[in-house]
Amino acid sequence: MLLRFDKVHLKRGGFTFFLDRIFPDSGMIGLAGPNGSGKSTLMDLATSIVKPSSGIIYYDEDKLSTIATNCFPDIFSCMYAGEEPFGGFSGAKYIDILSSIPEASAAAAERFPVIRPFLHRDIRELSRGQWVSLLLSSLLIVSSRILFIDEYMLFLDPYHRELWTDHLKDHAKTAPVFIITHETGFLYEKCDNVLGLKNGREMFWEKASALDGSILKDLYHP
């Protein structure tokens, strides 16, 4: 599925965002840039959390503004770094609700056995790393979704970081996976393409294999 930002402009407060780009229909896409550059804004726009001031966002040939809200889970899903557990749900119940798939938690436990030890615990009792693992499993259980994920590596130990990155790479073979990160090593080693944003504007779009260190340095330099 193709995601297209057609001259999308957003102005809120003193911040202005603009993007005009067609993204590939698969692959790991790194979203890089300093704080306040527009990375989370891109996610908010692509998932209809905020509406653009002008321009149109397309999923294939469908305008995002015309897609019914109840169809969103079949098209895309997102995870924010600061996302907090709520309510008194077990991990299994939360996956079933978030995935919108009957018995999704059973399928998730089969596919991602690492979540089994805490699947039936209250989500408020989980460590941050366990919570992130639970969220990632709920996103990945639907193979067709475009994924938007914010800094998931921050809360995972090296083993689980590599484990979930491998799962995300598998998902990216058939659907785009957008990853917000400040880790340049991750951009070089794990991503297929990188979008550099600064002050709400695209600074570059490059294959990760062709990234030049000076480009990233300029991106983060004031």
Side-chain angles (χ1 to χ4, degrees), residues 7-58:
K7 296 180 174 59
V8 173
H9 171 265
L10 173 69
K11 187 173 179 61
R12 52 181 178 181
F15 178 74
T16 301
F17 177 94
F18 178 80
L19 186 62
D20 186 40
R21 169 155 299 284
I22 299 174
F23 292 100
D25 59 4
S26 63
M28 291 271 276
I29 300 169
L31 300 179
N35 296 329
S37 61
K39 303 183 299 296
S40 295
T41 299
L42 186 154
M43 284 178 56
D44 290 346
L45 286 162
T47 56
S48 201
I49 291 175
V50 297
K51 310 295 184 184
S53 306
S54 61
I56 303 172
I57 298 168
Y58 291 91

Side-chain angles (χ1 to χ4, degrees), residues 55-76:
I56 303 172
I57 298 168
Y58 291 91
Y59 283 92
D60 287 338
E61 298 304 315
D62 297 319
K63 297 178 182 179
L64 177 58
S65 59
T66 65
I67 300 172
T69 304
N70 61 0
C71 294
F72 286 179
D74 296 325
I75 300 170
F76 57 74

Side-chain angles (χ1 to χ4, degrees), residues 43 47 77-83 98 128 131-139 147-153 155-156 168 178 180:
M43 284 178 56
T47 56
S77 194
C78 65
M79 188 191 91
Y80 288 89
E83 199 164 331
L98 206 61
R128 195 66 190 181
W131 171 236
V132 168
S133 291
L134 192 76
L135 289 174
L136 288 171
S137 70
S138 69
L139 266 58
L147 302 184
F148 301 91
I149 304 175
D150 182 14
E151 287 281 16
Y152 71 95
M153 294 84 71
F155 309 103
L156 298 173
L168 290 168
F178 292 80
I180 291 179

Side-chain angles (χ1 to χ4, degrees), residues 118-182:
F118 52 85
L119 195 60
H120 298 289
R121 288 172 55 189
D122 190 303
I123 57 176
R124 292 172 299 183
E125 299 174 357
L126 302 182
S127 72
R128 195 66 190 181
Q130 290 172 330
W131 171 236
V132 168
S133 291
L134 192 76
L135 289 174
L136 288 171
S137 70
S138 69
L139 266 58
L140 288 164
I141 201 63
V142 183
S143 60
S144 61
R145 283 179 179 165
I146 296 177
L147 302 184
F148 301 91
I149 304 175
D150 182 14
E151 287 281 16
Y152 71 95
M153 294 84 71
L154 291 175
F155 309 103
L156 298 173
D157 60 58
Y159 170 79
H160 288 89
R161 179 186 296 197
E162 196 67 24
L163 176 73
W164 287 110
T165 299
D166 287 345
H167 286 311
L168 290 168
K169 290 286 285 182
D170 284 342
H171 187 91
K173 292 175 182 176
T174 55
V177 177
F178 292 80
I179 306 287
I180 291 179
T181 182
H182 293 294

Side-chain angles (χ1 to χ4, degrees), residues 5 27 29 55 76 81 93 95 100 121 144 146 174 187 190 209:
F5 276 60
I29 300 169
F76 57 74
K93 184 65 175 177
I95 289 175
S100 303
R121 288 172 55 189
S144 61
I146 296 177
T174 55
L187 297 173
K190 305 298 184 182
S209 59

